[in-house]
Structure formats: structure tokens, C-alpha cells
Short mmCIF file of all heavy atoms in Angstrom, two decimals:
data_model
loop_
_atom_site.label_atom_id
_atom_site.label_comp_id
_atom_site.label_asym_id
_atom_site.label_seq_id
_atom_site.Cartn_x
_atom_site.Cartn_y
_atom_site.Cartn_z
N MET P 1 123.06 -34.61 273.97
CA MET P 1 124.39 -34.92 273.83
C MET P 1 125.26 -34.12 274.91
O MET P 1 124.88 -33.00 275.18
CB MET P 1 124.94 -34.52 272.49
CG MET P 1 124.46 -35.49 271.41
SD MET P 1 125.20 -35.03 269.84
CE MET P 1 123.66 -34.63 268.99
N ARG P 2 126.16 -34.73 275.45
CA ARG P 2 126.97 -34.15 276.47
C ARG P 2 128.17 -33.51 275.89
O ARG P 2 128.57 -33.86 274.78
CB ARG P 2 127.40 -35.21 277.54
CG ARG P 2 126.22 -35.83 278.24
CD ARG P 2 126.57 -36.87 279.18
NE ARG P 2 127.66 -37.78 278.79
CZ ARG P 2 127.43 -39.01 278.21
NH1 ARG P 2 126.28 -39.44 277.99
NH2 ARG P 2 128.50 -39.79 277.89
N GLU P 3 128.73 -32.56 276.47
CA GLU P 3 129.92 -31.77 276.02
C GLU P 3 131.11 -32.26 276.77
O GLU P 3 131.11 -32.71 277.89
CB GLU P 3 129.76 -30.33 276.27
CG GLU P 3 128.63 -29.66 275.49
CD GLU P 3 128.88 -29.58 273.99
OE1 GLU P 3 129.99 -29.32 273.60
OE2 GLU P 3 127.92 -29.86 273.21
N ALA P 4 132.30 -32.22 276.00
CA ALA P 4 133.58 -32.53 276.57
C ALA P 4 134.63 -31.74 275.84
O ALA P 4 134.29 -30.98 274.99
CB ALA P 4 133.84 -34.05 276.36
N SER P 5 135.88 -31.94 276.21
CA SER P 5 136.94 -31.19 275.50
C SER P 5 137.72 -32.18 274.60
O SER P 5 137.97 -33.33 275.03
CB SER P 5 137.81 -30.48 276.47
OG SER P 5 138.57 -31.41 277.26
N CYS P 6 138.13 -31.74 273.51
CA CYS P 6 138.93 -32.50 272.53
C CYS P 6 140.39 -32.86 273.12
O CYS P 6 141.02 -31.81 273.59
CB CYS P 6 139.04 -31.80 271.25
SG CYS P 6 140.06 -32.62 270.01
N PRO P 7 140.90 -34.08 273.04
CA PRO P 7 142.26 -34.29 273.49
C PRO P 7 143.28 -33.71 272.60
O PRO P 7 144.50 -33.57 273.07
CB PRO P 7 142.32 -35.84 273.52
CG PRO P 7 141.28 -36.25 272.63
CD PRO P 7 140.21 -35.25 272.59
N GLN P 8 142.98 -33.34 271.35
CA GLN P 8 144.01 -32.78 270.52
C GLN P 8 144.09 -31.27 270.50
O GLN P 8 145.13 -30.69 270.75
CB GLN P 8 143.64 -33.16 269.01
CG GLN P 8 144.23 -34.49 268.65
CD GLN P 8 144.04 -34.74 267.14
OE1 GLN P 8 142.94 -34.74 266.61
NE2 GLN P 8 145.05 -35.02 266.48
N CYS P 9 142.89 -30.55 270.34
CA CYS P 9 142.93 -29.10 270.34
C CYS P 9 142.30 -28.45 271.53
O CYS P 9 142.26 -27.22 271.59
CB CYS P 9 142.26 -28.70 268.98
SG CYS P 9 140.44 -28.84 269.03
N ARG P 10 141.76 -29.20 272.43
CA ARG P 10 141.05 -28.72 273.63
C ARG P 10 139.85 -27.94 273.28
O ARG P 10 139.38 -27.15 274.09
CB ARG P 10 142.01 -27.90 274.56
CG ARG P 10 143.26 -28.63 274.99
CD ARG P 10 142.86 -29.58 276.03
NE ARG P 10 144.12 -30.25 276.52
CZ ARG P 10 144.26 -31.55 276.65
NH1 ARG P 10 143.32 -32.33 276.31
NH2 ARG P 10 145.40 -32.07 277.02
N GLY P 11 139.29 -28.10 272.09
CA GLY P 11 138.06 -27.41 271.74
C GLY P 11 136.89 -28.15 272.18
O GLY P 11 136.98 -29.18 272.88
N ALA P 12 135.73 -27.60 271.85
CA ALA P 12 134.43 -28.22 272.27
C ALA P 12 134.20 -29.51 271.45
O ALA P 12 134.41 -29.55 270.23
CB ALA P 12 133.25 -27.30 272.03
N ALA P 13 133.81 -30.57 272.15
CA ALA P 13 133.58 -31.88 271.44
C ALA P 13 132.32 -32.42 272.03
O ALA P 13 131.82 -32.12 273.08
CB ALA P 13 134.71 -32.85 271.71
N ARG P 14 131.64 -33.24 271.18
CA ARG P 14 130.40 -33.86 271.53
C ARG P 14 130.74 -35.30 272.02
O ARG P 14 131.44 -36.03 271.39
CB ARG P 14 129.45 -33.87 270.42
CG ARG P 14 128.94 -32.57 269.96
CD ARG P 14 127.98 -32.71 268.79
NE ARG P 14 128.65 -33.25 267.61
CZ ARG P 14 128.12 -34.09 266.75
NH1 ARG P 14 126.92 -34.42 266.88
NH2 ARG P 14 128.85 -34.62 265.76
N LEU P 15 129.93 -35.80 272.95
CA LEU P 15 129.89 -37.18 273.28
C LEU P 15 128.68 -37.84 272.68
O LEU P 15 127.62 -37.47 272.93
CB LEU P 15 129.86 -37.40 274.79
CG LEU P 15 131.20 -37.15 275.51
CD1 LEU P 15 131.03 -37.21 276.97
CD2 LEU P 15 132.33 -38.07 275.04
N VAL P 16 128.91 -38.77 271.75
CA VAL P 16 127.81 -39.43 271.07
C VAL P 16 127.80 -40.88 271.47
O VAL P 16 128.82 -41.48 271.59
CB VAL P 16 128.00 -39.34 269.49
CG1 VAL P 16 126.93 -39.96 268.78
CG2 VAL P 16 128.28 -37.84 269.13
N SER P 17 126.63 -41.45 271.69
CA SER P 17 126.48 -42.84 272.07
C SER P 17 127.07 -43.77 270.96
O SER P 17 126.81 -43.53 269.78
CB SER P 17 125.01 -43.21 272.31
OG SER P 17 124.55 -42.53 273.40
N ASN P 18 127.83 -44.75 271.37
CA ASN P 18 128.43 -45.77 270.47
C ASN P 18 127.29 -46.79 270.09
O ASN P 18 126.82 -47.48 270.99
CB ASN P 18 129.59 -46.39 271.13
CG ASN P 18 130.38 -47.38 270.25
OD1 ASN P 18 129.94 -47.70 269.09
ND2 ASN P 18 131.43 -47.96 270.72
N PRO P 19 126.88 -46.78 268.81
CA PRO P 19 125.84 -47.71 268.42
C PRO P 19 126.29 -49.22 268.52
O PRO P 19 125.43 -50.11 268.56
CB PRO P 19 125.64 -47.34 266.98
CG PRO P 19 126.85 -46.71 266.49
CD PRO P 19 127.42 -46.06 267.74
N TYR P 20 127.54 -49.44 268.65
CA TYR P 20 128.04 -50.82 268.69
C TYR P 20 128.38 -51.32 270.14
O TYR P 20 128.83 -52.40 270.35
CB TYR P 20 129.26 -51.01 267.84
CG TYR P 20 129.02 -50.70 266.43
CD1 TYR P 20 129.43 -49.53 265.84
CD2 TYR P 20 128.21 -51.57 265.59
CE1 TYR P 20 129.15 -49.25 264.47
CE2 TYR P 20 127.94 -51.33 264.27
CZ TYR P 20 128.36 -50.05 263.78
OH TYR P 20 128.10 -49.82 262.46
N TYR P 21 128.16 -50.36 271.13
CA TYR P 21 128.42 -50.74 272.57
C TYR P 21 127.69 -52.00 272.98
O TYR P 21 126.46 -52.12 272.72
CB TYR P 21 128.14 -49.59 273.50
CG TYR P 21 128.38 -49.92 274.91
CD1 TYR P 21 129.62 -50.03 275.43
CD2 TYR P 21 127.27 -50.15 275.78
CE1 TYR P 21 129.83 -50.37 276.69
CE2 TYR P 21 127.53 -50.43 277.06
CZ TYR P 21 128.82 -50.57 277.58
OH TYR P 21 129.05 -50.91 278.86
N GLY P 22 128.41 -52.92 273.57
CA GLY P 22 127.84 -54.14 274.03
C GLY P 22 127.77 -55.29 273.04
O GLY P 22 127.51 -56.37 273.35
N ALA P 23 128.06 -55.04 271.77
CA ALA P 23 128.11 -55.97 270.72
C ALA P 23 129.56 -56.38 270.46
O ALA P 23 130.37 -55.49 270.04
CB ALA P 23 127.39 -55.44 269.43
N GLY P 24 129.84 -57.58 270.58
CA GLY P 24 131.18 -58.03 270.29
C GLY P 24 132.24 -57.46 271.23
O GLY P 24 132.05 -57.59 272.44
N LEU P 25 133.19 -56.79 270.76
CA LEU P 25 134.29 -56.25 271.56
C LEU P 25 134.18 -54.74 271.81
O LEU P 25 135.10 -54.15 272.36
CB LEU P 25 135.66 -56.55 270.90
CG LEU P 25 135.98 -58.02 270.70
CD1 LEU P 25 137.30 -58.16 269.96
CD2 LEU P 25 136.07 -58.73 272.05
N ALA P 26 133.08 -54.22 271.52
CA ALA P 26 132.92 -52.74 271.78
C ALA P 26 132.70 -52.48 273.20
O ALA P 26 131.66 -52.88 273.80
CB ALA P 26 131.67 -52.20 270.92
N VAL P 27 133.70 -51.86 273.81
CA VAL P 27 133.64 -51.63 275.32
C VAL P 27 133.40 -50.15 275.69
O VAL P 27 133.35 -49.80 276.82
CB VAL P 27 134.86 -52.18 276.00
CG1 VAL P 27 134.85 -53.71 275.87
CG2 VAL P 27 136.14 -51.57 275.51
N HIS P 28 133.51 -49.24 274.70
CA HIS P 28 133.42 -47.81 274.92
C HIS P 28 131.89 -47.41 274.71
O HIS P 28 131.36 -47.64 273.66
CB HIS P 28 134.30 -47.04 274.07
CG HIS P 28 135.68 -47.23 274.30
ND1 HIS P 28 136.44 -48.24 273.74
CD2 HIS P 28 136.55 -46.65 275.21
CE1 HIS P 28 137.72 -48.20 274.16
NE2 HIS P 28 137.77 -47.25 275.06
N ARG P 29 131.33 -46.83 275.75
CA ARG P 29 129.96 -46.40 275.71
C ARG P 29 129.75 -45.22 274.79
O ARG P 29 128.75 -45.03 274.16
CB ARG P 29 129.55 -45.99 277.16
CG ARG P 29 128.24 -46.56 277.65
CD ARG P 29 127.99 -46.09 278.98
NE ARG P 29 128.35 -47.05 280.04
CZ ARG P 29 127.59 -48.06 280.35
NH1 ARG P 29 126.38 -48.20 279.81
NH2 ARG P 29 127.96 -48.92 281.21
N ASP P 30 130.71 -44.33 274.73
CA ASP P 30 130.50 -43.05 273.94
C ASP P 30 131.73 -42.81 273.00
O ASP P 30 132.82 -43.33 273.16
CB ASP P 30 130.51 -41.90 274.96
CG ASP P 30 129.38 -41.91 275.84
OD1 ASP P 30 128.20 -42.12 275.39
OD2 ASP P 30 129.61 -41.74 277.09
N LEU P 31 131.41 -42.08 271.94
CA LEU P 31 132.40 -41.66 270.94
C LEU P 31 132.59 -40.15 271.15
O LEU P 31 131.63 -39.33 271.44
CB LEU P 31 131.94 -41.96 269.57
CG LEU P 31 131.61 -43.41 269.18
CD1 LEU P 31 131.00 -43.57 267.80
CD2 LEU P 31 132.88 -44.26 269.33
N LEU P 32 133.84 -39.68 271.01
CA LEU P 32 134.14 -38.22 271.16
C LEU P 32 134.31 -37.70 269.74
O LEU P 32 135.18 -38.16 268.96
CB LEU P 32 135.44 -38.13 271.99
CG LEU P 32 135.82 -36.78 272.39
CD1 LEU P 32 134.84 -36.16 273.32
CD2 LEU P 32 137.25 -36.82 273.04
N VAL P 33 133.59 -36.63 269.43
CA VAL P 33 133.61 -35.95 268.05
C VAL P 33 133.93 -34.48 268.29
O VAL P 33 133.09 -33.77 268.91
CB VAL P 33 132.35 -36.20 267.34
CG1 VAL P 33 132.41 -35.50 265.92
CG2 VAL P 33 132.03 -37.62 267.17
N CYS P 34 135.06 -33.97 267.89
CA CYS P 34 135.39 -32.61 268.06
C CYS P 34 134.71 -31.71 266.97
O CYS P 34 134.78 -32.06 265.77
CB CYS P 34 136.88 -32.36 267.97
SG CYS P 34 137.42 -30.67 268.17
N GLN P 35 134.17 -30.61 267.35
CA GLN P 35 133.49 -29.68 266.49
C GLN P 35 134.41 -28.77 265.75
O GLN P 35 134.07 -28.15 264.79
CB GLN P 35 132.40 -28.99 267.18
CG GLN P 35 131.32 -29.91 267.75
CD GLN P 35 130.31 -29.21 268.71
OE1 GLN P 35 130.50 -28.11 268.97
NE2 GLN P 35 129.32 -29.95 269.10
N GLU P 36 135.62 -28.62 266.27
CA GLU P 36 136.56 -27.64 265.77
C GLU P 36 137.66 -28.26 264.77
O GLU P 36 137.82 -27.79 263.65
CB GLU P 36 137.27 -26.91 266.97
CG GLU P 36 136.26 -26.05 267.59
CD GLU P 36 136.90 -25.30 268.82
OE1 GLU P 36 138.11 -25.03 268.72
OE2 GLU P 36 136.21 -24.97 269.79
N CYS P 37 138.29 -29.32 265.26
CA CYS P 37 139.38 -29.92 264.38
C CYS P 37 138.94 -31.18 263.72
O CYS P 37 139.66 -31.67 262.85
CB CYS P 37 140.60 -30.15 265.21
SG CYS P 37 140.48 -31.55 266.43
N GLY P 38 137.79 -31.73 264.08
CA GLY P 38 137.31 -32.95 263.34
C GLY P 38 137.77 -34.26 263.94
O GLY P 38 137.47 -35.31 263.34
N TYR P 39 138.46 -34.19 265.07
CA TYR P 39 139.03 -35.43 265.73
C TYR P 39 137.77 -36.29 266.14
O TYR P 39 136.72 -35.81 266.56
CB TYR P 39 139.76 -35.05 267.02
CG TYR P 39 140.18 -36.25 267.82
CD1 TYR P 39 141.29 -37.01 267.56
CD2 TYR P 39 139.31 -36.55 268.92
CE1 TYR P 39 141.58 -38.14 268.37
CE2 TYR P 39 139.64 -37.64 269.74
CZ TYR P 39 140.81 -38.41 269.42
OH TYR P 39 141.07 -39.51 270.19
N SER P 40 137.91 -37.55 265.93
CA SER P 40 136.89 -38.47 266.42
C SER P 40 137.65 -39.71 267.01
O SER P 40 138.64 -40.16 266.47
CB SER P 40 135.90 -38.94 265.36
OG SER P 40 136.60 -39.67 264.40
N GLY P 41 137.16 -40.19 268.20
CA GLY P 41 137.75 -41.34 268.81
C GLY P 41 136.88 -41.79 269.90
O GLY P 41 135.72 -41.28 270.12
N PHE P 42 137.35 -42.72 270.73
CA PHE P 42 136.63 -43.26 271.80
C PHE P 42 136.77 -42.43 273.08
O PHE P 42 137.87 -42.04 273.43
CB PHE P 42 137.09 -44.70 272.13
CG PHE P 42 136.90 -45.67 270.96
CD1 PHE P 42 137.95 -46.17 270.24
CD2 PHE P 42 135.59 -46.01 270.60
CE1 PHE P 42 137.70 -47.03 269.19
CE2 PHE P 42 135.33 -46.89 269.52
CZ PHE P 42 136.49 -47.37 268.81
N ALA P 43 135.66 -42.23 273.72
CA ALA P 43 135.70 -41.56 275.01
C ALA P 43 135.92 -42.57 276.17
O ALA P 43 135.37 -43.72 276.05
CB ALA P 43 134.40 -40.72 275.28
N GLU P 44 136.56 -42.20 277.17
CA GLU P 44 136.77 -43.07 278.34
C GLU P 44 135.46 -43.29 278.98
O GLU P 44 134.63 -42.31 279.15
CB GLU P 44 137.72 -42.52 279.31
CG GLU P 44 139.13 -42.48 278.74
CD GLU P 44 139.72 -43.81 278.35
OE1 GLU P 44 139.48 -44.83 279.16
OE2 GLU P 44 140.42 -43.94 277.38
N ASN P 45 135.17 -44.48 279.48
CA ASN P 45 133.95 -44.74 280.24
C ASN P 45 134.00 -44.00 281.60
O ASN P 45 135.09 -44.05 282.25
CB ASN P 45 133.74 -46.23 280.47
CG ASN P 45 133.43 -46.93 279.12
OD1 ASN P 45 132.99 -46.31 278.15
ND2 ASN P 45 133.70 -48.23 279.06
N ASP P 46 132.93 -43.46 282.03
CA ASP P 46 132.87 -42.78 283.30
C ASP P 46 133.07 -43.76 284.56
O ASP P 46 133.76 -43.43 285.49
CB ASP P 46 131.56 -42.01 283.53
CG ASP P 46 131.48 -40.88 282.45
OD1 ASP P 46 132.50 -40.41 282.02
OD2 ASP P 46 130.33 -40.50 282.19
N THR P 47 132.37 -44.87 284.48
CA THR P 47 132.40 -45.81 285.60
C THR P 47 132.57 -47.21 285.10
O THR P 47 132.50 -47.44 283.88
CB THR P 47 131.07 -45.80 286.36
OG1 THR P 47 129.99 -46.09 285.47
CG2 THR P 47 130.81 -44.43 287.00
N GLU P 48 132.78 -48.10 286.01
CA GLU P 48 132.86 -49.54 285.67
C GLU P 48 131.50 -50.00 285.20
O GLU P 48 130.45 -49.54 285.60
CB GLU P 48 133.29 -50.32 286.88
CG GLU P 48 134.73 -50.10 287.30
CD GLU P 48 135.66 -50.50 286.28
OE1 GLU P 48 135.54 -51.64 285.71
OE2 GLU P 48 136.67 -49.75 286.06
N PRO P 49 131.51 -50.95 284.22
CA PRO P 49 130.20 -51.47 283.76
C PRO P 49 129.43 -52.09 284.89
O PRO P 49 129.92 -52.71 285.82
CB PRO P 49 130.56 -52.52 282.74
CG PRO P 49 132.00 -52.61 282.68
CD PRO P 49 132.59 -51.63 283.62
N ALA P 50 128.10 -51.82 284.93
CA ALA P 50 127.25 -52.34 286.01
C ALA P 50 127.08 -53.88 285.76
O ALA P 50 127.16 -54.35 284.65
CB ALA P 50 125.89 -51.60 285.93
N GLU P 51 126.82 -54.52 286.87
CA GLU P 51 126.72 -55.92 286.83
C GLU P 51 125.42 -56.36 286.00
O GLU P 51 125.43 -57.36 285.41
CB GLU P 51 126.57 -56.53 288.23
CG GLU P 51 127.84 -56.43 289.04
CD GLU P 51 127.72 -57.04 290.37
OE1 GLU P 51 126.84 -57.89 290.57
OE2 GLU P 51 128.53 -56.65 291.23
N ASP P 52 124.41 -55.47 285.99
CA ASP P 52 123.21 -55.85 285.20
C ASP P 52 123.44 -55.76 283.69
O ASP P 52 122.69 -56.17 282.90
CB ASP P 52 121.99 -54.98 285.65
CG ASP P 52 122.20 -53.48 285.42
OD1 ASP P 52 122.90 -53.13 284.41
OD2 ASP P 52 121.82 -52.75 286.32
N ASP P 53 124.54 -55.14 283.29
CA ASP P 53 124.89 -55.03 281.83
C ASP P 53 125.39 -56.42 281.29
O ASP P 53 125.37 -56.67 280.16
CB ASP P 53 125.97 -54.02 281.58
CG ASP P 53 125.43 -52.57 281.70
OD1 ASP P 53 124.23 -52.47 281.76
OD2 ASP P 53 126.23 -51.70 281.75
N ALA P 54 125.88 -57.30 282.30
CA ALA P 54 126.38 -58.60 281.81
C ALA P 54 125.28 -59.45 281.35
O ALA P 54 124.09 -59.43 281.93
CB ALA P 54 127.11 -59.23 283.03
N VAL P 55 125.49 -60.24 280.42
CA VAL P 55 124.53 -61.25 279.88
C VAL P 55 124.36 -62.39 280.86
O VAL P 55 125.43 -62.99 281.23
CB VAL P 55 124.96 -61.69 278.46
CG1 VAL P 55 123.97 -62.75 277.94
CG2 VAL P 55 125.07 -60.47 277.49
N THR P 56 123.22 -62.74 281.28
CA THR P 56 122.97 -63.81 282.16
C THR P 56 122.78 -65.06 281.28
O THR P 56 122.03 -65.12 280.32
CB THR P 56 121.82 -63.65 283.02
OG1 THR P 56 120.65 -63.41 282.26
CG2 THR P 56 121.97 -62.42 284.01
N VAL P 57 123.40 -66.15 281.71
CA VAL P 57 123.28 -67.42 280.99
C VAL P 57 122.08 -68.15 281.59
O VAL P 57 121.97 -68.34 282.75
CB VAL P 57 124.56 -68.23 281.20
CG1 VAL P 57 124.45 -69.57 280.51
CG2 VAL P 57 125.79 -67.51 280.65
N PRO P 58 121.15 -68.52 280.77
CA PRO P 58 119.99 -69.26 281.17
C PRO P 58 120.43 -70.64 281.84
O PRO P 58 121.31 -71.25 281.42
CB PRO P 58 119.05 -69.45 280.01
CG PRO P 58 119.91 -69.22 278.85
CD PRO P 58 121.09 -68.34 279.29
N GLU P 59 119.64 -71.06 282.84
CA GLU P 59 119.96 -72.30 283.41
C GLU P 59 119.58 -73.44 282.52
O GLU P 59 118.52 -73.40 281.80
CB GLU P 59 119.02 -72.39 284.73
CG GLU P 59 119.39 -73.49 285.69
CD GLU P 59 118.63 -73.47 286.91
OE1 GLU P 59 117.47 -72.98 286.90
OE2 GLU P 59 119.20 -73.84 287.99
N SER P 60 120.38 -74.44 282.49
CA SER P 60 120.21 -75.56 281.58
C SER P 60 118.96 -76.40 282.04
O SER P 60 118.56 -76.37 283.19
CB SER P 60 121.44 -76.42 281.45
OG SER P 60 121.62 -77.17 282.74
N VAL P 61 118.48 -77.18 281.13
CA VAL P 61 117.33 -78.08 281.38
C VAL P 61 117.70 -79.10 282.43
O VAL P 61 116.96 -79.41 283.31
CB VAL P 61 116.82 -78.77 280.09
CG1 VAL P 61 115.72 -79.78 280.38
CG2 VAL P 61 116.38 -77.72 279.08
N LEU P 62 118.86 -79.63 282.30
CA LEU P 62 119.35 -80.73 283.23
C LEU P 62 119.44 -80.14 284.67
O LEU P 62 118.97 -80.76 285.63
CB LEU P 62 120.74 -81.21 282.79
CG LEU P 62 121.30 -82.25 283.75
CD1 LEU P 62 120.44 -83.51 283.87
CD2 LEU P 62 122.73 -82.63 283.25
N ARG P 63 119.92 -78.92 284.79
CA ARG P 63 120.05 -78.30 286.13
C ARG P 63 118.66 -78.07 286.73
O ARG P 63 118.42 -78.30 287.94
CB ARG P 63 120.81 -76.99 286.12
CG ARG P 63 121.08 -76.45 287.51
CD ARG P 63 122.12 -75.30 287.45
NE ARG P 63 123.39 -75.70 287.02
CZ ARG P 63 124.41 -76.19 287.83
NH1 ARG P 63 124.09 -76.46 289.05
NH2 ARG P 63 125.57 -76.54 287.30
N ARG P 64 117.71 -77.54 285.87
CA ARG P 64 116.34 -77.38 286.40
C ARG P 64 115.72 -78.66 286.84
O ARG P 64 114.99 -78.75 287.81
CB ARG P 64 115.51 -76.69 285.28
CG ARG P 64 115.81 -75.27 285.05
CD ARG P 64 114.89 -74.59 284.10
NE ARG P 64 114.71 -75.36 282.95
CZ ARG P 64 114.68 -74.83 281.74
NH1 ARG P 64 114.75 -73.50 281.58
NH2 ARG P 64 114.64 -75.61 280.62
N MET P 65 115.97 -79.80 286.05
CA MET P 65 115.35 -81.02 286.38
C MET P 65 115.96 -81.55 287.71
O MET P 65 115.28 -82.11 288.59
CB MET P 65 115.58 -82.04 285.30
CG MET P 65 114.70 -81.85 284.07
SD MET P 65 114.89 -82.95 282.66
CE MET P 65 115.81 -84.34 283.21
N LEU P 66 117.27 -81.36 287.88
CA LEU P 66 117.86 -81.85 289.15
C LEU P 66 117.38 -81.03 290.30
O LEU P 66 117.13 -81.64 291.42
CB LEU P 66 119.40 -81.76 289.02
CG LEU P 66 120.07 -82.74 288.10
CD1 LEU P 66 121.53 -82.39 287.92
CD2 LEU P 66 119.91 -84.16 288.57
N ARG P 67 117.19 -79.74 290.15
CA ARG P 67 116.66 -78.86 291.21
C ARG P 67 115.26 -79.35 291.57
O ARG P 67 114.93 -79.36 292.69
CB ARG P 67 116.75 -77.44 290.79
CG ARG P 67 116.35 -76.47 291.93
CD ARG P 67 116.73 -75.09 291.63
NE ARG P 67 116.58 -74.61 290.28
CZ ARG P 67 115.57 -74.02 289.75
NH1 ARG P 67 114.54 -73.74 290.49
NH2 ARG P 67 115.56 -73.62 288.42
N ALA P 68 114.41 -79.68 290.60
CA ALA P 68 113.05 -80.10 290.79
C ALA P 68 113.09 -81.44 291.54
O ALA P 68 112.19 -81.62 292.44
CB ALA P 68 112.33 -80.22 289.51
N LEU P 69 113.95 -82.37 291.22
CA LEU P 69 113.96 -83.64 291.85
C LEU P 69 114.45 -83.51 293.31
O LEU P 69 114.01 -84.29 294.19
CB LEU P 69 114.94 -84.57 291.17
CG LEU P 69 114.50 -85.13 289.81
CD1 LEU P 69 115.55 -85.86 289.09
CD2 LEU P 69 113.20 -85.93 289.95
N ARG P 70 115.27 -82.53 293.64
CA ARG P 70 115.70 -82.27 294.97
C ARG P 70 114.63 -81.65 295.83
O ARG P 70 114.68 -81.46 297.02
CB ARG P 70 116.97 -81.38 295.01
CG ARG P 70 118.18 -82.08 294.69
CD ARG P 70 119.39 -81.18 295.02
NE ARG P 70 119.11 -79.86 294.57
CZ ARG P 70 119.93 -78.99 294.11
NH1 ARG P 70 121.21 -79.40 293.99
NH2 ARG P 70 119.53 -77.79 293.76
N GLY P 71 113.60 -81.10 295.15
CA GLY P 71 112.49 -80.47 295.91
C GLY P 71 112.58 -78.94 295.80
O GLY P 71 111.84 -78.30 296.52
N GLY P 72 113.45 -78.41 294.94
CA GLY P 72 113.57 -76.99 294.87
C GLY P 72 112.50 -76.27 293.99
O GLY P 72 112.44 -75.07 293.93
N GLY P 73 111.68 -77.06 293.29
CA GLY P 73 110.65 -76.52 292.46
C GLY P 73 111.25 -75.94 291.16
O GLY P 73 112.41 -76.12 290.91
N LEU P 74 110.44 -75.44 290.30
CA LEU P 74 110.91 -74.93 289.05
C LEU P 74 111.13 -73.53 289.03
O LEU P 74 110.74 -72.63 289.49
CB LEU P 74 109.86 -75.33 287.98
CG LEU P 74 109.83 -76.79 287.59
CD1 LEU P 74 108.69 -77.02 286.60
CD2 LEU P 74 111.13 -77.25 286.96
#
């Protein structure tokens, strides 16, 4: 676990992985939990989400058939 400071009391806080990150609308990678005052909330993400985190949509059967007919192979 990484250490951070609490936004309320400036005490020591833990960064805990958000178990719901990537599911539905959960956009925060980490949760911030203060060890002194008990504050808990979302931690800001360090960087922009990587492109590989995005879900890729599989190619449709029709598009694969059209590509095969054009000579592009499967």
C-alpha cells in the first residue's frame, strides 16, 4: 500500500486499490483511507487512463466476411 496525506487532517493515509475500478462508472483507481481521523474517499488518479485499459469491441462477422471477400484474409 502506498502512503498519502489526508485532505482533512493532513495525517497519514493509505491508498487502497478500488475493487470496483473499471466496472460501470468507477473511474477512481484508488481509495484514500486516513489512519488518524477515519476519513475515506476517492484518491485522484495519477495519470490519464492508458489506451489499453479501454475495452476493445470485437469485429463483427459481417465486417470479417467483407474483408475476406476483398482479399484481406481472416
Side-chain angles (χ1 to χ4, degrees):
M1 285 181 245
R2 300 180 316 265
E3 295 291 321
S5 63
C6 175
Q8 274 187 304
C9 72
R10 303 287 183 227
R14 294 180 298 145
L15 286 174
V16 183
S17 294
N18 184 355
Y20 300 106
Y21 176 72
L25 299 176
V27 296
H28 294 90
R29 227 179 262 276
D30 299 310
L31 301 173
L32 186 66
V33 180
C34 181
Q35 297 172 353
E36 294 182 24
C37 72
Y39 171 84
S40 62
F42 297 111
E44 293 299 321
N45 292 337
D46 294 337
T47 59
E48 292 294 320
E51 290 181 23
D52 58 40
D53 287 348
V55 176
T56 58
V57 178
E59 192 174 33
S60 70
V61 173
L62 178 60
R63 186 169 299 275
R64 287 189 307 226
M65 286 181 9
L66 290 174
R67 186 166 34 97
L69 290 173
R70 283 191 317 214
L74 291 175

